[in-house]
């Protein structure tokens, strides 16, 4: 059963570099999300490795961690009814080329690695990821 949920969203370096953060935040707000907390940070590669630990055996892991730590990012707690799945839908497929029209990755993503946004994929991961960036 769906409920009011919180999910972790990241506006990734490729989007911040192109100054797209306000446009992307507007997408969330227009879709009914409330931004509960947000901060602009620049994480280290070690922190990126910790955050993306689930992917440590994947061939793209090293590049992914280099990339997420390559420049400033916006991390946000988004809240809404059914937030986790609805955010994944709003983001679109991992590869912007395969993402549906109207999704954030279709509109702003550059490539499968520079795909502009991250969103938690399950309730368990949302809790972990929120805790990772917002410990208080
Ligand atoms: O972000 P999402 O949950 O849609 O995808 P993922 O499978 O959890 O992968 C995490 C991130 O790794 C993606 O968002 C991409 O930035 C990156 N990735 C990549 O660079 N090359 C791939 N073949 C797959 C993912
Ligand atoms: Mg994922």
């Amino acid at each position: 059963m769906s409920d009011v949920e919180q999910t972790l969203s990241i506006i990734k370096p490729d989007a911040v570099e192109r100054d797209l953060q306000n446009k992307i935040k507007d997408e969330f707000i227009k879709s009914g999300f409330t931004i509960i907390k947000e901060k602009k940070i620049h994480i280290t590669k070690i922190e990126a490795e910790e955050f993306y630990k689930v992917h440590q055996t994947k061939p793209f892991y090293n590049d992914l961690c280099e990339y997420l730590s390559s420049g400033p990012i916006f991390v946000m707690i988004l809240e809404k009814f059914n937030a986790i799945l609805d955010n994944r839908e709003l983001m679109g497929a991992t590869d912007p080329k395969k993402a549906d029209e109207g999704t954030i990755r279709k509109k702003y993503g550059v490539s499968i690695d520079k795909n502009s946004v991250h969103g938690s994929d399950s309730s368990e991961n949302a809790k972990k990821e929120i805790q990772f960036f917002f410990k208080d």
Side-chain angles (χ1 to χ4, degrees), residues 1-6 79-86:
M1 211 176 74
S2 303
D3 217 336
V4 173
E5 297 174 335
Q6 293 190 344
E79 187 176 272
K80 184 188 173 294
F81 179 81
N82 207 33
I84 297 163
L85 271 178
D86 284 1

Side-chain angles (χ1 to χ4, degrees), residues 61-136:
Y61 179 61
N62 186 61
D63 287 348
L64 174 61
C65 297
E66 283 280 357
Y67 164 64
L68 196 70
S69 58
S70 67
I73 57 176
F74 279 83
V75 292
M76 290 160 288
I77 300 175
L78 301 181
E79 187 176 272
K80 184 188 173 294
F81 179 81
N82 207 33
I84 297 163
L85 271 178
D86 284 1
N87 181 40
R88 296 288 303 187
E89 208 172 289
L90 177 62
M91 285 164 50
T94 306
D95 183 351
K97 288 201 296 288
K98 295 180 181 154
D100 288 341
E101 281 308 324
T103 62
I104 293 174
R105 283 168 164 171
K106 178 73 176 188
K107 283 185 192 169
Y108 304 115
V110 178
S111 55
I112 190 163
D113 48 330
K114 295 188 168 131
N115 58 10
S116 303
V117 280
H118 165 86
S120 310
D121 63 2
S122 66
S123 165
E124 192 192 342
N125 285 336
K127 287 190 181 74
K128 278 190 201 158
E129 292 178 0
I130 287 170
Q131 182 62 19
F132 184 86
F133 284 112
F134 299 95
K135 291 194 171 60
D136 41 292

